[in-house]
């Protein structure tokens, strides 16, 4: 490789995509500044639990911990937490104004970089506008909240009373594959997330009854066929999304839906409902796109590979729905392009 | 030609060998050549499609691969000749077999019943009449499909409906739209007139005679019975490992997944790593279909190759070393090393330091204790436990061996969350649970431990593949000894964790401490 020592790259966003890009660039001898808005590394997936049952189910969440550890240990990566880019100037390199929050307010500095990788991730869909009583019924939670419970508590607890649920439902495709919202994409990860969590719950509490409302089950993992067979034995699968959720006694939730088998309206009562909310474009994507001159597609995701000819790249879920392994693969691929760009310059 | 890479000191070979000649392999080669890294392709077939001037060994195969990253020696067979080829690093991007799954529907291939790729290439039977004929895609009915195949089905169905004006049906179970743009493609196909029929608890009945194919089904949504007599039916193709995979697997001593693709199903190998440092698997070799996935893998592979050729891939701090005087050449170490870091030189085993990942499994398994694995020698570890016992006044003293990949990060996060370790607990960080021998465990009990806990990674999540399983079998061994001397067997406990299970770590330690407290302090 032509000498990359002394080259400086800014990686914006320290989710699994940004971390992977940062550690790969650092390995190759590039100086990396990792700019992260929040006060921790790891992005969304740092909040996910391990869904292993008798063996690993390949959800990928533990890879994020590994990436965080390598980046923290790398002398070539300078980590800027609670920081964001406020302005970008082009003259020769990329002149970024990076603002860092601290106890006494905020501090800004202008720094020059040879290239930029945008890895700012996604925003989860806000299910408040759906008729599912989110934030109104205490025991309606999102898949992200269930992930966090598994991660932080190592068990599932109903928000209303902390008890383990006995009748749980998962509602898929909330905010994805939805023509009315104009969200004409599958979020790609929520079938896997939900079914792995469901099996994890059953492995811990075999008497839990789980119902899964869905449109199509997406394939995930290499042993999907086997996994799916087990799931169909353990979980009640209903190929229809409920129209509405209503409150039921004892903080329960009543789901009303058109039962596809009897072709009649049906009801079921649950003591906890999980909404599988999807991946939507990062709320700041529009601003980032214009600030950095990176095209965004019609849905609002950044163009994969960003604006590579000008030294601004994009990677990970900022470019569209993708899983953790896909985000790592994508970041590896983008690093290749960054290196090619640096070699030319 | 000199490479542009700054090679690692001591690296002997500065080139890349690519096994395979498909689009994925070619993209990797082009990326490396752009960096002036010499590339050699080894291809089973002819070199069709590879850029002229490339260094290609066609109609050739690899039968053996010795050495470690930076210095591999491949045995090659070409036209009955045998020779060796050096390689700094290797990437395997061999094609799998695309097999049409017509048999799953009781169909034979015929002018009417075609593999999906033929229909996708526009290869239709002469009997097809625009505006009249019916086309049916039998998609993901016999087994669950995948987004790459669904993309081909929907693109082809769209073309047949829109450009050929055929009545086009896609019969499927779960439509796999988890790929970029597929939900939109689904909607465009429907707008163009493609009828999608999804089955949940029923399946279509397919009959075939010389004259016609007949597909009958009940539409689950309406209960209405349909019978189609398509003029052309497309069946999915399934990507399966080709017979060459077995040979490659044996030559390179790779771990495979359950189907036989050349990468173990272990998240720590993603995206392109294998169990051998410096040998990578990309695209179809690891079971991927689709142009987008192949391109992304090609980039990831080029990135990984560049890193290892410069010696910049992370290396383990500790290496195993074999003491020749103690070794009785049983070759246990050779068999247990997942990373294939033990080579045999004239019947003597030797550890290749560049290939050794420092898991310590060989040292724990060697029946002669002939392998040094500093600083984790049982004697040194036991001395540390004795010191720790002396420092602690608690009546109940316990020891935990923690895998550095999973339990140690989990514990560190638990500390950050405010966890306080039980004062009588002494924790020992090891690179892999598989490095713990019966001697390590006995050392802890001899130092006065009332209980010993071993935490490794979940099965299928171990970097060394079998570390946790090795640890479990060691523990069983010790428990059998305990049974004989009437000592409670459950004073030694094994558990598994992932790096993100800080809450799980705290639970496991608490359960362990409570259990050992129940047994009380051991007899002196
Ligand atoms: C409920 C749910 C469950 C999932 N489960 C799984 C699973 O089991 N397995 C799996 O493989 N995938 C799963 N996924 C997908 C997974 O979350 C993504 O693949 C992954 O988070 C993508 O990583 P990323 O780095 O691209 O983005 P993110 O994780 O979103 O990280 C982006 C980072 O950038 C920071 N950032 C954003 N804007 C700025 C800015 N302007 N300046 C500085 N920093 C900024 C953010 O704070 C964040 O740290 C799941 C997703 C959801 C919604
Ligand atoms: S990949 Fe997921 S299930 Fe497997 S060990 Fe890691 S966190 Fe657990
Ligand atoms: S992954 Fe499953 S739940 Fe998520 S949007 Fe796709 S089909 Fe719906
Ligand atoms: S396991 Fe031990 S005794 Fe057996 S060959 Fe290896 S070093 Fe020699
Ligand atoms: S320590 Fe592990 S990687 Fe190294 S030689 Fe022994 S078994 Fe192989």
């Amino acid at each position: 490789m032509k000498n990359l020592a002394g080259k400086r790259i800014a990686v914006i966003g320290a989710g699994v995509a940004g971390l992977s890009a940062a550690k790969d660039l650092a390995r190759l001898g590039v100086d990396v500044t990792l700019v992260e808005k929040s006060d921790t590394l790891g992005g969304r997936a740092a909040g996910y639990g391990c869904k292993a049952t008798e063996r690993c189910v390949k959800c990928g969440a533990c890879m994020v911990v590994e990436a965080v550890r390598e980046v923290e240990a790398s002398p070539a990566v300078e980590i800027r937490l609670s920081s964001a880019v406020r302005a970008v100037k082009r003259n020769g390199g990329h002149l970024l104004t990076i603002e860092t929050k601290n106890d006494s307010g905020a501090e800004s500095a202008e720094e020059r970089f040879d290239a930029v990788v945008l890895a700012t991730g996604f925003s989860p869909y806000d299910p408040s506008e759906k008729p599912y009583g989110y934030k109104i019924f205490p025991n309606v939670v999102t898949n992200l909240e269930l992930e966090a419970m598994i991660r932080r508590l190592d068990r599932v607890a109903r928000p209303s009373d902390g008890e383990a649920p006995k009748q749980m439902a998962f509602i898929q495709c909330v905010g994805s594959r939805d023509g009315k919202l104009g969200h004409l994409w599958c979020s790609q990860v929520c079938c896997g997330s939900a079914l792995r969590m469901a099996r994890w719950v059953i492995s811990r509490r075999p008497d839990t009854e789980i119902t899964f409302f869905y449109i199509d089950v997406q394939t995930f993992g290499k042993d999907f066929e086997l996994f799916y067979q087990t799931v169909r034995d353990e979980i009640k699968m209903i190929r229809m999304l409920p129209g509405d959720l209503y409150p039921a006694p004892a903080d329960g939730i009543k789901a009303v839906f058109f039962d596809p088998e009897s072709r009649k309206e049906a009801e079921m009562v649950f003591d906890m409902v999980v909404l599988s909310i999807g991946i939507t474009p990062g709320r700041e994507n529009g601003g980032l796109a214009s600030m950095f001159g990176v095209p965004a597609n019609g849905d609002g995701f950044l163009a994969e590979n960003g604006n590579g000819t000008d030294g601004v790249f994009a990677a990970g879920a900022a470019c569209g729905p993708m899983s953790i392994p896909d985000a790592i693969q994508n970041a590896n691929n983008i690093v290749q392009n960054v290196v090619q760009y640096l070699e030319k310059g | 030609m000199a490479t542009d890479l700054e090679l690692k000191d001591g690296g002997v070979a500065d080139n890349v060998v690519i096994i395979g000649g498909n689009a994925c392999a070619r993209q990797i080669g082009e990326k490396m050549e752009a960096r002036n890294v010499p590339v050699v392709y080894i291809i089973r077939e002819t070199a069709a499609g590879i850029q002229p001037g490339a260094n290609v060994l066609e109609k050739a195969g690899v039968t053996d691969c010795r050495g470690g990253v930076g210095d591999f020696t491949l045995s090659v067979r070409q036209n009955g000749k045998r020779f060796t080829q050096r390689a700094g690093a290797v990437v395997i991007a061999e094609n799998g077999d695309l097999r049409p799954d017509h048999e799953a529907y009781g169909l034979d291939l015929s002018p009417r019943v075609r593999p999906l790729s033929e229909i996708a290439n526009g290869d239709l039977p002469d009997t097809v009449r625009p505006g009249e004929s019916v086309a049916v895609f039998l998609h993901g009915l016999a087994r669950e499909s995948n987004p790459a195949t669904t993309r081909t089905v929907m693109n082809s169905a769209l073309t047949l409906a829109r450009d050929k004006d055929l009545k086009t049906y896609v019969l499927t179970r779960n439509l796999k739209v988890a790929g970029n743009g597929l939900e939109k493609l689904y909607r465009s196909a429907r707008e163009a007139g493609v009828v999608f029929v999804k089955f949940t608890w029923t399946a279509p009945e397919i009959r075939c005679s010389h004259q016609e194919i007949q597909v009958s089904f009940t539409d689950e949504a309406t209960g209405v019975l349909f019978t189609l007599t398509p003029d052309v039916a497309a069946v999915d193709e399934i990507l399966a490992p080709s017979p060459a995979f077995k040979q490659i697997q044996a030559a390179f001593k790779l771990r495979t997944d359950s189907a036989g693709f050349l990468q173990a199903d272990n998240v720590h190998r993603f995206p392109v790593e294998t169990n051998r440092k410096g040998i990578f698997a990309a695209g179809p070799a690891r079971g991927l279909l689709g142009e987008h996935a192949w391109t992304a893998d090609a980039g990831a592979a080029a990135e990984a190759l560049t890193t290892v050729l410069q010696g910049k891939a992370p290396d383990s701090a500790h290496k195993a070393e074999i003491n020749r005087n103690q070794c009785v050449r049983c070759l246990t170490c050779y068999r247990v090393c997942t990373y294939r870091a033990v080579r045999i030189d004239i019947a003597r085993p030797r550890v290749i330091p560049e290939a050794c990942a420092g898991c310590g499994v060989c040292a724990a398994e060697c029946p002669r204790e002939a392998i040094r694995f500093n600083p984790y020698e049982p004697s040194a570890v036991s001395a540390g436990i004795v010191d720790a016992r002396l420092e602690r006044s608690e009546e109940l003293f316990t020891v935990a061996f923690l895998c550095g990949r999973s339990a140690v990060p989990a514990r560190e996060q638990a500390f950050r969350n405010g966890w306080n370790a039980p004062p009588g607990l002494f924790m020992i960080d090891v690179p892999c649970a598989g490095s713990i021998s019966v001697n390590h465990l006995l050392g802890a009990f001899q130092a006065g431990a009332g209980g010993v806990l071993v935490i490794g990674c979940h099965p299928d999540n171990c970097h060394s593949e079998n570390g946790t399983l090795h640890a479990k079998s060691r523990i069983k061994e010790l428990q059998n000894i305990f049974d004989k001397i009437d000592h409670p067997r459950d004073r030694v406990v094994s558990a598994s964790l992932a790096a993100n299970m800080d809450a799980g770590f705290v639970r496991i330690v608490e359960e362990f401490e409570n259990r050992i407290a129940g047994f009380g302090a051991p007899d002196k």
Side-chain angles (χ1 to χ4, degrees):
Chain A
M1 165 149 355
K2 301 210 177 90
N3 201 355
L4 294 184
K7 295 280 186 195
R8 295 192 66 198
I9 307 284
V11 175
I12 318 296
V16 69
L19 290 166
S20 302
K23 81 180 160 77
D24 292 345
L25 286 164
R27 282 180 187 180
L28 294 171
V30 177
D31 285 329
V32 178
T33 300
L34 183 56
V35 182
E36 167 57 47
K37 189 170 67 172
S38 75
D39 58 0
T40 49
L41 299 178
R44 302 274 171 200
Y48 304 164
C50 170
K51 278 84 77 182
T53 49
E54 64 286 356
R55 40 195 347 104
C56 164
V57 294
K58 330 283 157 61
C59 79
C62 55
M63 290 156 90
V64 181
V65 176
E66 200 144 293
V68 168
R69 283 165 67 87
E70 184 174 338
V71 163
E72 281 178 338
S74 169
V77 182
E78 195 186 320
I79 299 169
R80 305 271 178 85
L81 295 176
S82 309
S83 299
V85 178
R86 292 292 168 228
V88 181
K89 274 189 240 153
R90 287 301 318 262
N91 57 353
H94 302 257
L95 210 57
L96 309 191
T97 306
I98 301 175
E99 183 187 272
T100 302
K101 288 198 193 107
N102 54 30
D103 296 340
S104 54
E107 190 173 288
S108 294
E110 210 171 60
E111 291 179 51
R112 186 184 303 279
F113 296 93
D114 297 289
V116 179
V117 178
L118 298 175
T120 46
F122 67 96
S123 293
Y125 172 70
D126 176 0
S128 307
E129 55 192 284
K130 287 273 161 190
Y132 291 150
Y134 180 63
K135 293 246 162 92
I136 301 170
F137 310 148
N139 295 322
V140 173
V141 302
T142 67
N143 46 357
L144 278 176
E145 289 161 342
L146 189 68
E147 287 274 7
M149 258 183 227
I150 296 175
R151 171 73 207 252
R152 289 209 293 268
L153 309 177
D154 195 35
R155 67 189 185 89
V156 175
R158 291 202 334 154
S160 66
D161 56 9
E163 293 296 313
K166 294 192 180 64
Q167 278 96 27
M168 269 179 102
F170 286 84
I171 302 177
Q172 296 307 105
C173 300
V174 179
S176 313
R177 308 185 66 186
D178 187 329
K180 275 193 210 132
L181 293 172
H183 292 181
L184 299 183
W185 62 82
C186 159
S187 291
Q188 304 189 15
V189 295
C190 12
C191 280
S193 168
L195 289 174
R196 284 172 176 133
M197 291 197 285
R199 282 213 63 211
W200 184 87
V201 168
I202 290 172
S203 77
R204 290 292 177 97
R205 291 189 160 263
D207 57 340
T208 319
E209 287 168 19
I210 298 186
T211 305
F212 184 79
F213 294 98
Y214 72 104
I215 302 176
D216 295 290
V217 179
Q218 300 305 317
T219 299
F220 49 89
K222 286 194 161 180
D223 286 331
F224 175 74
E225 196 86 44
L226 208 70
F227 184 95
Y228 187 45
Q229 264 166 29
T230 327
V231 154
R232 280 179 295 180
D233 290 340
E234 292 176 348
I235 294 172
K236 187 172 169 64
M237 312 280 288
I238 299 179
R239 198 171 196 174
M240 185 60 69
L241 303 184
D244 290 285
L245 298 185
Y246 300 97
D251 287 324
I253 303 115
K254 185 172 80 179
V256 178
F257 59 98
F258 181 81
D259 177 36
E261 280 194 61
S262 63
R263 294 190 206 99
K264 286 200 185 89
E265 189 108 275
E267 301 180 356
M268 281 177 88
V269 175
F270 303 101
D271 54 8
M272 185 163 174
V273 171
V274 182
L275 306 179
S276 280
I277 57 171
I279 287 176
T280 70
R283 249 170 243 119
E284 294 172 43
N285 275 10
L288 289 164
S290 57
M291 185 155 65
F292 284 96
V294 166
N297 69 20
D299 295 326
F301 293 106
L302 300 182
E304 205 173 308
N305 209 18
N307 176 6
T309 49
D310 197 32
V312 183
F313 299 83
C319 307
M322 60 177 84
S323 66
I324 295 164
D326 286 350
I328 294 174
Q329 179 204 43
N330 181 252
N332 286 178
N333 187 26
I334 295 307
V335 164
Q336 250 323 276
N337 297 338
V338 175
V339 168
Q340 268 170 24
Y341 172 82
L342 293 177
E343 283 176 334
K344 267 192 245 138
Chain B
M1 180 173 36
T3 159
D4 278 356
L5 296 185
E6 268 176 42
L7 283 171
K8 182 192 176 218
D9 291 344
V12 180
D14 60 0
N15 64 339
V16 167
V17 165
I18 299 177
I19 313 285
N22 54 44
C24 181
R26 292 199 300 270
Q27 288 182 69
I28 299 168
E30 282 157 22
K31 281 177 197 285
M32 297 317 289
E33 277 170 346
R35 199 156 281 160
N36 283 336
V37 174
V39 172
V40 181
Y41 292 90
I42 300 182
I43 306 182
R44 275 187 297 150
E45 305 94 16
T46 51
I50 297 192
Q51 69 272 31
N55 191 353
V56 184
L57 300 172
E58 45 177 22
K59 297 191 173 158
V62 175
T63 55
D64 189 32
C65 169
R66 314 195 83 199
V69 53
D71 188 17
F72 290 112
T73 304
L74 313 185
S75 307
V76 182
R77 192 161 51 193
Q78 187 186 30
N79 302 327
K81 278 184 297 186
R82 289 165 182 280
F83 50 92
T84 57
Q85 166 71 50
R86 302 306 274 292
V90 179
V91 57
I92 299 158
E94 184 67 57
N95 265 346
D97 277 349
L98 267 184
R99 294 185 195 143
D101 70 346
H102 52 280
E103 283 167 10
Y105 309 113
L107 294 173
D108 290 323
L109 292 180
S110 68
R112 282 169 200 269
V113 179
R114 304 299 265 290
L116 174 60
S117 56
E118 290 182 12
I119 303 297
N121 291 338
D123 187 1
L124 294 175
D126 310 333
T127 48
V128 165
R129 298 271 169 272
E132 295 167 26
S133 293
V134 174
V136 167
F137 289 80
L138 302 172
H139 174 48
L141 290 167
R143 67 191 93 205
E144 292 292 313
S145 191
N146 56 73
T149 306
T150 302
R151 189 184 300 278
T152 311
V153 165
M154 294 201 294
N155 275 326
S156 312
L158 180 61
T159 309
L160 296 189
R162 191 186 52 201
D163 302 348
K164 299 272 195 277
D165 198 16
L166 304 189
K167 296 193 185 70
T168 307
Y169 295 80
V170 175
L171 309 190
T172 192
R173 283 198 312 217
N174 286 303
L175 192 68
K176 307 293 178 176
V177 288
N180 286 345
L182 292 185
E183 179 72 23
K184 283 190 184 134
L185 182 56
Y186 169 50
R187 286 166 195 251
S188 316
R190 282 207 314 201
E191 272 160 31
V194 178
V195 178
F196 286 80
V197 187
K198 294 186 191 176
F199 297 89
T200 314
W201 62 91
T202 65
E205 232 173 82
I206 301 161
R207 254 171 269 147
C208 187
S209 67
H210 281 303
Q211 276 73 40
E212 62 172 26
I213 318 165
Q214 205 182 67
V215 183
S216 17
F217 56 88
T218 310
D219 178 31
E220 291 178 4
T222 56
V224 177
L225 190 75
F226 287 83
T227 299
L228 305 174
T229 48
D231 302 273
V232 59
V235 294
D236 284 354
E237 286 151 297
I238 312 295
L239 180 64
S242 78
F245 279 40
K246 270 223 163 69
Q247 196 207 325
I248 295 171
Q249 181 271 327
F252 288 95
K253 303 191 176 62
L254 297 179
R255 299 225 157 214
T256 63
D257 66 12
S258 57
F261 290 104
L262 299 168
Q263 183 189 48
D265 190 11
N266 179 326
V267 294
H268 300 298
R269 302 284 180 256
F270 294 166
V272 292
E273 283 178 25
T274 68
N275 54 302
R276 290 187 75 177
K277 282 200 234 172
I279 300 179
F280 302 95
R286 65 183 193 104
L288 295 191
L289 269 176
E291 212 178 304
H292 184 270
W294 284 19
T295 300
D297 250 24
E303 199 274 324
L305 290 165
T306 305
T307 309
V308 295
L309 284 178
Q310 297 185 99
K312 300 254 174 78
D315 200 2
S316 58
H318 310 294
K319 305 283 178 188
E321 229 178 295
I322 295 174
N323 178 342
R324 293 193 162 200
N325 300 329
Q326 267 166 273
C327 167
V328 295
R329 306 182 193 179
C330 70
L331 306 190
T332 301
C333 50
Y334 175 78
R335 281 195 304 273
V336 296
C337 179
T338 294
Y339 304 95
R340 290 287 158 179
V342 179
R343 71 184 279 173
I344 298 167
D345 289 339
I346 330 171
R348 275 184 185 283
R350 187 170 70 79
V351 174
I352 309 162
E354 295 74 39
C356 172
C359 66
V361 169
C362 57
E365 285 283 321
C366 170
R368 298 286 302 189
E369 295 164 30
I371 304 180
R372 300 278 81 84
F373 186 53
N374 280 319
Y376 302 100
E377 288 291 300
S379 53
V381 171
S382 300
I385 301 175
V386 169
D387 290 346
R389 166 74 279 201
L390 290 175
E391 281 165 18
R392 283 169 173 71
S393 55
E394 285 75 23
E395 199 196 339
L396 193 61
F397 173 64
T398 50
V399 172
F401 290 97
L402 306 181
C403 164
R405 303 283 198 175
S406 51
V408 169
R411 176 200 57 202
E412 280 169 27
Q413 185 59 44
F415 277 139
R416 282 194 287 269
N417 299 346
W419 178 69
N420 291 314
L425 173 69
F426 179 54
M427 292 181 274
I428 302 162
D429 301 358
V430 293
C432 168
S435 71
I436 296 154
S437 64
V438 173
N439 284 343
H440 286 103
L441 299 170
L442 280 173
F445 283 106
Q446 275 155 7
V452 175
L453 172 65
V454 177
I455 310 184
C457 306
H458 291 309
D460 285 357
N461 190 251
C462 171
H463 281 259
S464 323
E465 310 279 358
N466 291 329
T468 311
L469 298 179
H470 284 303
K472 287 218 160 103
S473 66
R474 273 346 119 38
I475 287 174
K476 278 230 173 73
E477 247 176 82
L478 185 67
Q479 286 179 327
N480 291 339
I481 299 175
F482 281 0
D483 285 348
K484 284 191 194 122
I485 59 170
D486 246 357
H487 197 65
R489 53 161 34 225
D490 292 339
R491 281 193 189 266
V492 49
V493 173
S494 76
S496 63
L497 274 181
N500 57 346
M501 287 183 66
D502 32 285
F505 174 82
V506 172
R507 171 180 53 81
I508 286 169
V509 170
E510 268 171 18
E511 283 171 6
F512 164 72
E513 289 284 319
N514 289 340
R515 174 190 291 199
I516 303 304
F519 292 132
D523 304 332
K524 291 266 152 56

